[in-house]
Structures are given as structure tokens and as C-alpha cells.
Amino acid sequence: MEKLDFSNIDWWNGEQRPSTEFINRVNVELTRIQESLEKIPESEPEGTSLERKSKLLEGLIKHYLDLTKVLDQRRGDYYKAALQMSAIGLTGFGLLIKLIDFSPITVVSLLSLSVCLGLLSILATAFLVIDKYYWQTNSKRYHFLKLNSPKVKVLGNSWMYFYHGIPGVGEIPFTSNPFKEVDKLKDQENGVEKYVAGAAFYFDQFINATSRELYIQNLRHTYMLLIHNAYKNKFDAQLTSIMSRGTRITFVITFICILLSFIFWPIANLDFAVDESKTKIELNYNPSKTDSLRSPRQTPESQWLNSSAQMKIPPADSVIQANRTKDSLTKISLEKKNYLNHDKGKINQPAINQDSK
């Protein structure tokens, strides 16, 4: 293996450049790794420790791949559950919002409001799970991709297992931007050139690789999968924490709101207001009721008022109506006078006849 001077190698991937102090600290660790790999002998007879270690590393590679597969499946289940929670929350919220009506306050309205608050908590939990899931799937989350593996050669994505470790393959335009105009022919030429260059490097490395080189490749690959599996475990724990906390918060909010609904509903239905219709004092004067209470026999005045109040004047034109009203009032006045005189036994018939003449 070629001995590298990491202080003269630009192994950082990224537009933002780290500080010189950071680069020097990492170079020290890379140098230690290179010195450890140099201790591996070039070749050993079959059945020696080097061959046994290579087989052990191959078993570890399979083990880490299986663990990663299980963790990815669990994370996918959380994502699917979040989508289902979103659909249930939106549907339930749309149905229950119609039942919320506080005029008057009913137990159905209060319970519907309680469940709606719980559904809002479910929606918030689902949104956080979906957001974190997409955040985790971004390859920028993996810090080891900042190491340019083809330049470092002792760490990072090995050429034997990862395309990142093959020069040029990572630069193939696998996807295109639909919002950006590109020269299709030039884009295709670039892809073919990187593909062929990567194949030349990969075949040359594999054909010329010794047992020691293959052992180093397995060692790098095993450590890479170990770190990758650690990322997956942390990602899974993050989604589990969000889901469990959201479930507990939803249960607590819904339970407290339902309990308050059963407490508040009887209080809201208590009638503390004074019913004015029952306590209103009747101030309208009714002569018939007043006189009947004052004497069991109605007075002549009240009898005449009751009889005259029941008289109806037929509708007519304005002028005729005015004349009729005047005649009716005159007649009522005469009838009142005669009625009162008759009741007292002092009827003056000649006076009426003289007035009529």
C-alpha cells in the first residue's frame, strides 16, 4: 500500500472549508490508521489468522446488512403509520367539526371538541414523523461522506463495495433536473465516460488485489456498515420517541378534555338567570278586572265601556269614514247619557224628543 501524506491531500468533500486546526487533527488520526494497516503482512499461508479474520469480516458484513434491513423496515412502518394517522385525523376532524355547536351547549358538542383536540395532536405527531423521515433519508446526514474515499484510501467507502469509493462513478448524472436546461448529448457523454473510467479502475483493483488488499477492503467495509447501522439505530430511536410522545400527549389531552366536558356540561345547563316572564308585574289597567275585584257587580260605566268597546266601525273612504266616526261618537254619547239616566231612574224623555226636533 502506498504511503500517503495526508497533509498534502485535499480529502474534504464540500463547498465550505473547515479550519486548518480541524484538518490537522483529522490528519493525525488518518496517519495512525495507515500505520495500523501497514502492519498487516503481505501474504500468509492458508488457514492462518489472516484468512480466518477475512471470513469473520464477511460474516459481520452480512450481519450488519441484515440489521440495516430490519431497521429500514421499521422506519418505513413508522412512515406508513404516520400517513394513516394523517388520513384518519383529517377525516375525523372534518366529520366532528360539524357537531360542535355551543348554542345551546350540549354534551355532544363538548365531546366532539375534545376528540377534535386529540385529532389535532395526532396530526401534529404524524407531521413530525413524516418530516423527520424525509430528513433522515437525505444522504447529507452521513458525515463520513465528507471524506473523499478515493483520495484517502484507508477509510470511507471502499472501492470493493461502494460506488463512492470508485473514482468518477459518483459523478455520473444519474438524475436530471426538469427545471434546468442541459445539453443532452454532453450529459450522455459525461455519463458514459465516468461509467467506463469507473469500470477500468474497479477491474484493475480487483484483478490485482492480494489477500491482504481484500482483507483491508473487508475491514473498511465492516466498519462502514457498523457506523451506517449506528445511524439507522439513532434514526429509528428518533422516530420511536416522536411516535411514543405524541401518543401519550394525545391520550392525556383527550382524556382531560373529556373529563372537563362531563364536569362543565351540568354547570353550563344550570339556570342562574331570573325568569323575567314569571316576575314581571302587570301594570296595564283593565277596568273590568279592577271593578270585578272591587265589587261583585259591575258598575254602569264599566258595562257601557265594555259594550261600546265591542262596536265595530266598517271601513270606508277617508271622508265618509270621518263623518261616520263623528255620528257614531255622537250616538255613543247619547246612549251613554240615556243609559246612565235609566239606571238612576231619572230618564228625561221630553228632553230627548225636543233635542231630536
Side-chain angles (χ1 to χ4, degrees):
M1 177 182 290
E2 180 186 359
K3 189 171 184 179
L4 303 175
D5 184 7
F6 296 104
S7 60
N8 297 326
I9 299 176
D10 184 15
W11 48 261
W12 179 263
N13 282 329
E15 297 179 356
Q16 295 181 347
R17 306 302 300 177
S19 63
T20 305
E21 181 183 359
F22 166 79
I23 295 293
N24 293 333
R25 291 201 311 269
V26 177
N27 287 339
V28 173
E29 300 299 328
L30 291 174
T31 303
R32 289 181 56 190
I33 295 172
Q34 180 175 243
E35 293 174 353
S36 298
L37 295 177
E38 289 177 351
K39 297 178 182 179
I40 301 174
E42 290 294 335
S43 62
E44 288 186 358
E46 295 183 2
T48 57
S49 60
L50 184 62
E51 184 179 358
R52 291 195 301 268
K53 288 180 180 179
S54 294
K55 291 183 179 180
L56 177 61
L57 291 175
E58 292 175 359
L60 289 175
I61 289 172
K62 184 179 181 301
H63 171 69
Y64 288 132
L65 289 175
D66 292 338
L67 287 179
T68 301
K69 182 179 179 180
V70 173
L71 292 172
D72 284 338
Q73 183 177 0
R74 289 177 55 180
R75 291 172 57 244
D77 292 339
Y78 280 128
Y79 174 73
K80 295 176 182 178
L83 293 178
Q84 294 174 356
M85 290 167 59
S86 300
I88 294 173
L90 292 174
T91 304
F93 188 81
L95 294 176
L96 292 176
I97 197 69
K98 298 180 180 180
L99 300 177
I100 300 177
D101 185 11
F102 295 111
S103 55
I105 297 177
T106 61
V107 68
V108 175
S109 299
L110 294 174
L111 291 178
S112 299
L113 179 61
S114 302
V115 177
C116 284
L117 293 176
L119 291 176
L120 289 177
S121 179
I122 290 177
L123 289 174
T125 303
F127 173 78
L128 289 176
V129 171
I130 295 173
D131 178 68
K132 287 300 179 182
Y133 179 82
Y134 283 113
W135 179 85
Q136 294 170 0
T137 56
N138 192 342
S139 61
K140 295 180 180 180
R141 304 279 76 78
Y142 301 107
H143 302 88
F144 51 78
L145 295 179
K146 293 297 182 181
L147 283 173
N148 192 327
S149 301
K151 293 182 179 180
V152 174
K153 294 183 180 181
V154 297
L155 199 61
N157 293 300
S158 63
W159 61 264
M160 191 173 179
Y161 294 100
F162 295 100
Y163 70 89
H164 292 287
I166 303 175
V169 175
E171 301 175 7
I172 295 177
F174 296 100
T175 58
S176 59
N177 189 351
F179 303 101
K180 183 179 180 181
E181 295 184 0
V182 295
D183 189 345
K184 292 184 178 180
L185 180 58
K186 186 176 181 180
D187 190 64
Q188 293 173 353
E189 291 177 351
N190 184 31
V192 172
E193 181 181 2
K194 300 301 182 183
Y195 167 75
V196 174
F201 175 84
Y202 188 84
F203 295 162
D204 182 68
Q205 292 290 322
F206 198 89
I207 292 172
N208 298 322
T210 62
S211 299
R212 178 179 180 274
E213 178 63 26
L214 295 178
Y215 173 73
I216 294 175
Q217 287 294 310
N218 289 335
L219 186 62
R220 290 174 59 184
H221 184 37
T222 304
Y223 181 72
M224 177 63 65
L225 290 178
L226 185 149
I227 298 300
H228 184 259
N229 185 259
Y231 274 94
K232 297 293 183 177
N233 271 288
K234 296 300 182 181
F235 291 164
D236 178 74
Q238 187 181 39
L239 295 181
T240 303
S241 177
I242 295 174
M243 188 69 76
S244 61
R245 289 181 181 179
T247 303
R248 291 196 298 267
I249 293 174
T250 300
F251 175 78
V252 172
I253 291 176
T254 306
F255 178 78
I256 293 177
C257 291
I258 291 176
L259 183 62
L260 292 177
S261 299
F262 284 107
I263 296 175
F264 180 73
W265 177 64
I267 298 176
N269 285 273
L270 293 177
D271 191 3
F272 294 104
V274 178
D275 191 352
E276 297 181 357
S277 62
K278 297 180 180 179
T279 58
K280 185 177 180 179
I281 301 175
E282 184 67 39
L283 299 178
N284 295 330
Y285 173 75
N286 192 328
S288 60
K289 293 183 179 180
T290 306
D291 293 340
S292 63
L293 292 174
R294 185 173 56 193
S295 174
R297 181 181 178 182
Q298 293 185 352
T299 60
E301 292 85 351
S302 64
Q303 293 180 3
W304 176 84
L305 290 173
N306 290 335
S307 61
S308 62
Q310 297 176 358
M311 296 180 63
K312 298 181 179 180
I313 302 175
D317 295 336
S318 59
V319 178
I320 300 174
Q321 181 69 24
N323 295 331
R324 290 183 178 180
T325 302
K326 183 178 179 180
D327 295 339
S328 299
L329 292 175
T330 304
K331 184 176 181 181
I332 290 172
S333 180
L334 293 174
E335 289 179 354
K336 177 182 177 181
K337 186 182 295 185
N338 293 335
Y339 186 84
L340 294 175
N341 292 334
H342 179 270
D343 185 69
K344 295 179 181 180
K346 298 179 180 180
I347 302 175
N348 191 2
Q349 185 66 30
I352 297 176
N353 294 332
Q354 187 178 358
D355 293 337
S356 61
K357 294 178 182 180

